[in-house]
């Protein structure tokens, strides 16, 4: 399989690019969990949406993974949701929120940086595009990631004197 690194490491808006080897490892890890993730999401799409998350296929998959596997799954589902947001992604978004709510998974600054880059490239209509990267950025040591340089600032209110 050909490398997909080329499009993932380029500098965005003057931000330093991620090392190609690091990004390729991300894709390798995501490919390892992707088949199980696709199957779980498809089963959950066909199942009762009111079912407790723990009783869903995605919930069972999440419980079966170690922290590294959960991070890879989070990165994959984030990537998948951002690329295919117009499809029925409710089950995937539920999984994304569950992963975002799990503390102390050992996220790295490079993983967060990559996900924020994916979020920037997503359709602005993808309301959840910053859900996971911003949630897990809180795990990083102060100064490990300059979120303000990666997340666009919104204009504040204009006050008239």
């Amino acid at each position: 399989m050909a490398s997909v690194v080329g499009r993932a490491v380029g500098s965005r808006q003057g931000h330093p690019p991620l090392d190609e080897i690091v990004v390729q490892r991300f894709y390798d890890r995501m490919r390892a969990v992707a088949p199980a993730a696709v199957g779980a999401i498809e089963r959950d799409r066909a199942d009762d949406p009111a079912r407790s998350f723990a009783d869903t296929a995605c919930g069972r998959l999440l419980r079966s993974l170690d922290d590294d596997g959960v991070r890879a799954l989070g990165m994959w589902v984030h990537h998948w949701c951002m690329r295919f947001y117009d499809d029925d992604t409710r089950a995937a978004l539920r999984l994304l929120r569950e992963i975002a709510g799990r503390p102390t998974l050992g996220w790295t600054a490079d993983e967060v940086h990559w996900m924020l880059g994916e979020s920037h490239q997503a359709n602005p209509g993808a309301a959840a595009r910053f859900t996971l990267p911003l949630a897990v950025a809180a795990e990083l040591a102060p100064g490990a990631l300059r979120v303000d340089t990666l997340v666009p600032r919104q204009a504040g209110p204009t006050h008239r004197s």
Side-chain angles (χ1 to χ4, degrees):
M1 180 175 278
S3 172
V4 290
V5 170
R7 70 175 184 80
V9 297
S11 177
R12 290 174 200 87
Q13 303 171 357
H15 305 294
L18 290 173
D19 183 86
E20 288 184 25
I21 294 169
V22 169
V23 175
Q24 187 61 51
R25 285 188 196 130
F26 293 165
Y27 281 103
D28 292 344
R29 288 175 38 223
M30 288 187 287
R31 278 189 202 105
V33 298
V38 169
I41 289 169
E42 288 302 315
R43 285 189 297 282
D44 287 352
R45 284 174 65 177
D47 202 1
D48 177 10
R51 182 183 297 262
S52 162
F53 182 79
D55 296 331
T56 65
C58 287
R60 290 187 297 275
L61 173 60
L62 198 54
R63 281 193 310 275
S64 74
L65 298 171
D66 63 10
D67 288 352
D68 189 54
V70 172
R71 289 193 327 271
L73 177 63
M75 292 173 72
W76 180 86
V77 75
H78 173 76
H79 178 69
W80 186 85
C81 284
M82 296 309 99
R83 290 181 58 214
F84 303 110
Y85 197 79
D86 293 334
D87 291 346
D88 180 6
T89 58
R90 286 176 297 198
L93 289 170
R94 186 177 186 191
L95 175 58
L96 188 76
R97 286 189 303 271
E98 287 289 331
I99 294 169
R102 289 179 171 243
T104 64
L105 289 174
W107 293 94
T108 68
D110 285 345
E111 289 169 337
V112 176
H113 181 95
W114 179 84
M115 286 188 289
L116 284 168
E118 289 286 300
S119 298
H120 279 288
Q121 294 177 357
N123 178 334
R129 66 191 180 132
F130 291 105
T131 298
L132 185 60
L134 291 181
V136 302
E139 280 192 30
L140 300 177
L145 177 73
R146 292 216 31 227
V147 174
D148 61 321
T149 65
L150 297 171
V151 179
R153 291 210 179 263
Q154 297 185 16
T158 305
H159 298 287
R160 294 183 194 204
S161 303

